Short mmCIF file of all heavy atoms in Angstrom, two decimals:
data_model
loop_
_atom_site.label_atom_id
_atom_site.label_comp_id
_atom_site.label_asym_id
_atom_site.label_seq_id
_atom_site.Cartn_x
_atom_site.Cartn_y
_atom_site.Cartn_z
N ALA A 55 -10.33 4.19 -25.31
CA ALA A 55 -10.25 3.91 -23.85
C ALA A 55 -8.85 4.34 -23.33
O ALA A 55 -8.65 4.97 -22.39
CB ALA A 55 -10.59 2.49 -23.40
N PHE A 56 -7.88 3.94 -24.13
CA PHE A 56 -6.39 4.17 -23.83
C PHE A 56 -6.34 5.74 -23.76
O PHE A 56 -5.69 6.17 -22.79
CB PHE A 56 -5.55 3.54 -24.95
CG PHE A 56 -4.08 4.05 -24.84
CD1 PHE A 56 -3.30 3.39 -23.88
CD2 PHE A 56 -3.49 4.95 -25.58
CE1 PHE A 56 -1.92 3.81 -23.68
CE2 PHE A 56 -2.15 5.39 -25.44
CZ PHE A 56 -1.44 4.73 -24.53
N VAL A 57 -6.82 6.48 -24.80
CA VAL A 57 -6.63 7.93 -24.83
C VAL A 57 -7.24 8.46 -23.61
O VAL A 57 -6.70 9.32 -22.93
CB VAL A 57 -7.18 8.44 -26.10
CG1 VAL A 57 -7.29 9.98 -26.16
CG2 VAL A 57 -6.35 8.08 -27.31
N ASP A 58 -8.47 8.15 -23.33
CA ASP A 58 -9.22 8.60 -22.10
C ASP A 58 -8.35 8.43 -20.93
O ASP A 58 -8.27 9.32 -19.95
CB ASP A 58 -10.60 7.94 -21.93
CG ASP A 58 -11.56 8.43 -22.95
OD1 ASP A 58 -11.26 9.35 -23.65
OD2 ASP A 58 -12.74 7.77 -23.11
N ASN A 59 -7.78 7.30 -20.73
CA ASN A 59 -7.06 6.85 -19.46
C ASN A 59 -5.73 7.64 -19.38
O ASN A 59 -5.28 7.95 -18.26
CB ASN A 59 -6.99 5.41 -19.35
CG ASN A 59 -8.28 4.91 -18.81
OD1 ASN A 59 -8.84 5.30 -17.99
ND2 ASN A 59 -8.76 3.75 -19.45
N VAL A 60 -5.07 7.92 -20.52
CA VAL A 60 -3.84 8.67 -20.48
C VAL A 60 -4.17 10.09 -20.01
O VAL A 60 -3.49 10.64 -19.09
CB VAL A 60 -3.13 8.77 -21.94
CG1 VAL A 60 -2.01 9.81 -21.83
CG2 VAL A 60 -2.60 7.48 -22.22
N ILE A 61 -5.27 10.67 -20.52
CA ILE A 61 -5.68 12.03 -20.09
C ILE A 61 -6.07 12.00 -18.59
O ILE A 61 -5.66 12.92 -17.89
CB ILE A 61 -6.76 12.44 -21.07
CG1 ILE A 61 -6.24 12.65 -22.48
CG2 ILE A 61 -7.32 13.88 -20.52
CD1 ILE A 61 -7.21 12.88 -23.56
N ALA A 62 -6.84 11.01 -18.20
CA ALA A 62 -7.29 10.91 -16.80
C ALA A 62 -6.02 10.86 -15.87
O ALA A 62 -6.15 11.27 -14.71
CB ALA A 62 -8.18 9.73 -16.67
N ALA A 63 -4.96 10.16 -16.35
CA ALA A 63 -3.76 10.03 -15.49
C ALA A 63 -2.98 11.35 -15.52
O ALA A 63 -1.87 11.44 -14.97
CB ALA A 63 -2.88 8.85 -15.94
N GLY A 64 -3.35 12.31 -16.27
CA GLY A 64 -2.70 13.64 -16.20
C GLY A 64 -1.74 13.77 -17.44
O GLY A 64 -1.05 14.73 -17.53
N GLY A 65 -1.91 12.80 -18.49
CA GLY A 65 -1.02 12.90 -19.66
C GLY A 65 -1.73 13.68 -20.76
O GLY A 65 -2.96 14.02 -20.52
N GLU A 66 -1.09 13.78 -21.92
CA GLU A 66 -1.61 14.38 -23.12
C GLU A 66 -1.46 13.46 -24.25
O GLU A 66 -0.45 12.71 -24.28
CB GLU A 66 -0.83 15.66 -23.34
CG GLU A 66 -1.03 16.43 -24.47
CD GLU A 66 -0.06 17.52 -24.85
OE1 GLU A 66 1.16 17.28 -24.45
OE2 GLU A 66 -0.39 18.49 -25.51
N VAL A 67 -2.44 13.38 -25.09
CA VAL A 67 -2.28 12.51 -26.33
C VAL A 67 -2.32 13.32 -27.63
O VAL A 67 -3.22 14.15 -27.74
CB VAL A 67 -3.43 11.47 -26.32
CG1 VAL A 67 -3.27 10.63 -27.53
CG2 VAL A 67 -3.38 10.63 -25.05
N ILE A 68 -1.36 13.11 -28.51
CA ILE A 68 -1.43 13.80 -29.86
C ILE A 68 -1.55 12.63 -30.84
O ILE A 68 -0.69 11.68 -30.92
CB ILE A 68 -0.06 14.65 -30.04
CG1 ILE A 68 0.02 15.67 -28.97
CG2 ILE A 68 -0.19 15.25 -31.43
CD1 ILE A 68 1.37 16.38 -29.16
#
Side-chain angles (χ1 to χ4, degrees):
Chain A
F56 173 78
V57 170
D58 287 348
N59 281 315
V60 171
I61 294 166
E66 174 193 28
V67 179
I68 303 176

